[in-house]
């Protein structure tokens, strides 16, 4: 089984920073894209940022210039560095990854359990 475990959420004042981490574990052969999504109360889940195994990145317009996605392939971990946080960034942040396990030859999509980020004004 494959698991994604997030950490690093919390409460921060507007203008502050947080760093989220997501570690993949289990019987993993390889990981393709890894990303972060978020869901605010009453809203749909939306993409924040994604990074490929080769390091190519894509950001939501709301994240450009403030957030940075990084990954450590050796540690099977993806990070989201969030700076200049705004109250509208308040949401549950979910890690997502396309993972090929040793027991299945195709890539499957996995989600973490989510971590709460709250930005106070």
């Amino acid at each position: 089984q494959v698991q994604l475990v997030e950490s690093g959420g919390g409460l921060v004042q507007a203008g502050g920073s947080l760093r989220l981490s997501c570690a993949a574990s289990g019987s993993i052969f390889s990981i393709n894209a890894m990303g972060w999504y978020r869901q605010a109360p009453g809203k749909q889940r939306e993409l924040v940022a994604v990074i490929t195994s080769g390091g190519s990145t894509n950001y939501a317009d709301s994240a450009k210039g403030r957030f940075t996605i990084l990954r450590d392939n050796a540690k099977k971990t993806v990070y989201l560095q969030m700076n200049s946080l705004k109250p509208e960034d308040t949401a549950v942040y979910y890690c997502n990854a396309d993972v090929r396990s040793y027991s299945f030859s195709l890539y499957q999509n996995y989600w973490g359990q989510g971590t709460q980020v709250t930005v106070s004004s």
Side-chain angles (χ1 to χ4, degrees), residues 4 25 29 31 34 51 64 73 77 84 90 92 107 119-120:
L4 302 179
S25 63
F29 178 78
I31 304 176
M34 303 184 80
I51 185 168
K64 289 177 181 177
N73 290 328
T77 299
S84 302
T90 295
V92 178
Y107 282 93
V119 184
S120 63

Side-chain angles (χ1 to χ4, degrees), residues 29-85:
F29 178 78
S30 65
I31 304 176
N32 195 359
M34 303 184 80
W36 290 95
Y37 290 71
R38 68 186 183 186
Q39 187 167 19
K43 295 188 176 181
Q44 290 189 330
R45 191 173 298 188
E46 62 178 6
L47 173 70
V48 177
V50 64
I51 185 168
T52 68
S53 57
S56 297
T57 59
N58 190 37
Y59 294 92
D61 287 343
S62 59
K64 289 177 181 177
R66 299 188 300 126
F67 295 0
T68 302
I69 188 169
L70 302 163
R71 69 189 278 173
D72 184 328
N73 290 328
K75 294 183 178 179
K76 300 183 180 65
T77 299
V78 63
Y79 306 94
L80 185 68
Q81 177 66 44
M82 303 186 292
N83 299 328
S84 302
L85 283 161

Side-chain angles (χ1 to χ4, degrees), residues 16-31:
S17 298
L18 280 176
R19 191 186 200 202
L20 306 182
S21 299
C22 171
S25 63
S27 181
I28 296 172
F29 178 78
S30 65
I31 304 176

